[in-house]
Amino acid sequence: MAVESEEISGHEKAQGMIERMEDYTVVDCDIHEMIFDISRLAKYMDEPYKSKVEHLARTEEPLTQGIGGSYEMDVNPSPSGDGNPYGLEENAFPTKPSRLDTFMDLFNTDYLVLHGHMILLVSSIRDPGLASALYSASNDMLLNEWLDEYDGVKATLRVGTQDPQRAVEEIERVGDEKDFIGVHIPGGSKTLLGDPALEPIYQAAQDKGLGIDVHPSRSNSPWSSAYAAPSIQSTAENLSTTNQQMIAQLTSMVFNGIPAKFPDLQFIFMEHGITWLPWIMGRMDKTYERRKHAMEWLDTKPSQAIRDSFYFGTQPIEDVPGPGVLKQMFDMMNAEELLVYTTDFPHFDFDYPSMLTIPNMDESAERRIFGENAMEVFDL
């Protein structure tokens, strides 16, 4: 006689996946607070930009829906169709601060770092004044509406690359706020992040003792055509090529000597996958050996500069074929030296902290990936 198995809810499955994290200090470095009404930013803005944003909130023109233009940004609160996001409690969906607290309880998370949603598209705005005003308004909204209520909820203050001097002024304006634990620069920057024009931003962050995180974002800049960003037509294309955006940024920063110029500055790259890291580090080292006479400012191999100054978020982990291959790749890159834990909640490609996304490792390595590396960068 067949025995009927007891149905297990998505919530119970999620709890089972994260039991191994109970004894760790867990830092989720990529959570997106969901602000769907951009008029909430207008009250933190001065004219003429306040009126511009209020107009965007009123109009039904499709080109305004993402601030930076029409763009499909999937958020799937109920992939199972049962009305609950990811099988979790409905009040875990982060549209207000109290729901962040619920998410932290469900996932044994001690700290989380916010990166917004629509604000990620501001990097494509060509008007530097409007872009800077939106970043400043987002920072003020975070301070007034999100960050004071719960001790573990943190954010990196948001600046753009359209106007580096305004970015520096923003870091000086709010960089001492206790809940801003770093500086966020969009991956879809106006120019590649190794450009000397951006060095004042790095200097300002280093002077404040703040690490920098880089998250993929919309880009209309000429350099981004290297991976066809302006031509991407679907979410599937976008998510399959974000690592190319980050490869371009990483090589630009390392080969232009940003780690050597700012030795006290730590960087986190996130939401681009990780299995490409051993390949690009080897490729950069080989190129360096053949061309180091043209890069006298580099005093170490690129792979060592990366290990000294960069960390990388775990999400979205690739589906590597073959049993045990993902664990082998973690070993190959010395993952405990390079990775920080990220989920990207609540975007539809959110990663549970399961064995399929972060394989079993020894306790010391898991402690570093799930929390200690991020605590070092963000001084938590």
Side-chain angles (χ1 to χ4, degrees):
M1 177 178 178
V3 179
E4 292 186 7
S5 60
E6 183 179 351
E7 184 176 349
I8 301 175
S9 70
H11 182 192
E12 291 171 324
K13 290 178 182 178
Q15 287 298 104
M17 291 176 182
I18 61 176
E19 287 180 357
R20 64 174 169 161
M21 299 159 58
E22 290 180 352
D23 296 328
Y24 303 158
T25 299
V26 176
V27 184
D28 187 338
C29 292
D30 189 25
I31 295 288
H32 296 271
E33 82 277 8
M34 306 307 295
I35 306 298
F36 297 107
D37 181 4
I38 62 173
S39 65
R40 289 178 60 178
L41 297 179
K43 65 181 179 181
Y44 296 107
M45 303 174 76
D46 296 324
E47 296 294 356
Y49 302 114
K50 178 179 180 180
S51 294
K52 286 187 176 183
V53 170
E54 288 174 339
H55 172 72
L56 294 179
R58 290 194 303 268
T59 185
E60 295 181 358
E61 296 175 8
L63 289 180
T64 68
Q65 65 183 7
I67 297 179
S70 179
Y71 186 68
E72 182 184 2
M73 179 65 80
D74 285 351
V75 178
N76 187 353
S78 184
S80 63
D82 62 3
N84 285 323
Y86 307 96
L88 304 180
E89 297 173 11
E90 185 178 356
N91 63 354
F93 199 64
T95 52
K96 55 186 178 181
S98 61
R99 294 183 172 188
L100 296 175
D101 191 51
T102 301
F103 174 84
M104 293 170 73
D105 286 344
L106 289 171
F107 279 79
N108 286 334
T109 304
D110 298 280
Y111 298 96
L112 52 81
V113 185
L114 302 180
H115 286 101
H117 183 59
M118 287 194 300
I119 200 70
L120 295 172
L121 304 183
V122 175
S123 55
S124 66
I125 292 178
R126 299 186 185 277
D127 179 349
L130 176 58
S132 298
L134 283 164
Y135 285 124
S136 294
S138 177
N139 291 332
D140 287 338
M141 183 196 66
L142 286 171
L143 289 171
N144 284 277
E145 301 180 29
W146 289 81
L147 295 179
D148 283 339
E149 192 167 350
Y150 300 102
D151 290 339
V153 178
K154 307 294 181 183
T156 48
L157 71 94
R158 297 152 186 180
V159 300
T161 58
Q162 293 95 327
D163 188 331
Q165 182 54 41
R166 283 178 169 158
V168 169
E169 292 170 1
E170 185 68 5
I171 293 170
E172 293 174 347
R173 184 178 77 90
V174 295
D176 291 325
E177 296 287 344
K178 66 178 179 62
D179 290 321
F180 280 142
I181 57 175
V183 176
H184 170 71
I185 297 177
S189 51
K190 179 180 179 181
T191 182
L192 284 165
L193 296 180
D195 190 329
L198 303 181
E199 290 181 11
I201 299 176
Y202 304 141
Q203 187 65 59
Q206 183 173 264
D207 290 346
K208 288 286 187 183
L210 297 172
I212 289 178
D213 64 23
V214 181
H215 188 290
S217 69
R218 177 80 174 270
S219 176
N220 290 323
S221 298
W223 72 265
S224 67
S225 62
Y227 78 102
S231 305
I232 285 175
Q233 300 181 43
S234 69
T235 300
E237 292 173 78
N238 176 60
L239 295 176
S240 297
T241 57
T242 52
N243 63 331
Q244 296 180 38
Q245 185 181 86
M246 290 308 194
I247 288 171
Q249 297 290 23
L250 182 64
T251 54
S252 173
M253 296 177 77
V254 172
F255 282 136
N256 285 284
I258 298 302
K261 294 174 184 177
F262 303 96
D264 296 326
L265 196 54
Q266 298 284 303
F267 298 90
I268 294 178
F269 279 27
M270 61 188 66
E271 201 169 324
H272 47 67
I274 59 171
T275 58
W276 54 271
L277 280 168
W279 164 77
I280 194 60
M281 292 168 75
R283 169 66 71 178
M284 291 172 71
D285 279 354
K286 186 168 186 176
T287 302
Y288 171 71
E289 290 300 327
R290 294 178 174 182
R291 299 294 300 171
K292 60 183 175 183
H293 63 276
M295 294 178 283
E296 65 275 4
W297 52 87
L298 295 184
D299 57 4
T300 186
K301 285 185 175 182
S303 60
Q304 189 58 52
I306 291 170
R307 292 190 183 281
D308 290 343
S309 298
F310 291 86
Y311 292 95
F312 302 87
T314 54
Q315 186 276 341
I317 211 79
E318 292 85 355
D319 290 337
V320 183
V325 175
L326 184 60
K327 175 61 165 59
Q328 292 174 12
M329 299 201 75
F330 270 58
D331 293 339
M332 187 187 307
M333 70 179 77
N334 293 325
E336 66 271 20
E337 297 179 4
L338 286 175
L339 302 186
V340 297
Y341 169 59
T342 55
T343 65
D344 190 39
F345 191 78
H347 289 162
F348 82 102
D349 55 341
F350 154 80
D351 276 352
Y352 281 110
S354 72
M355 309 309 176
L356 298 177
T357 55
I358 302 177
N360 270 335
M361 293 169 287
D362 63 70
E363 181 177 327
S364 176
E366 288 193 353
R367 284 186 181 276
R368 290 187 65 175
I369 292 172
F370 280 114
E372 290 177 358
N373 288 340
M375 294 171 72
E376 176 183 325
V377 175
F378 295 132
D379 195 24
L380 291 172

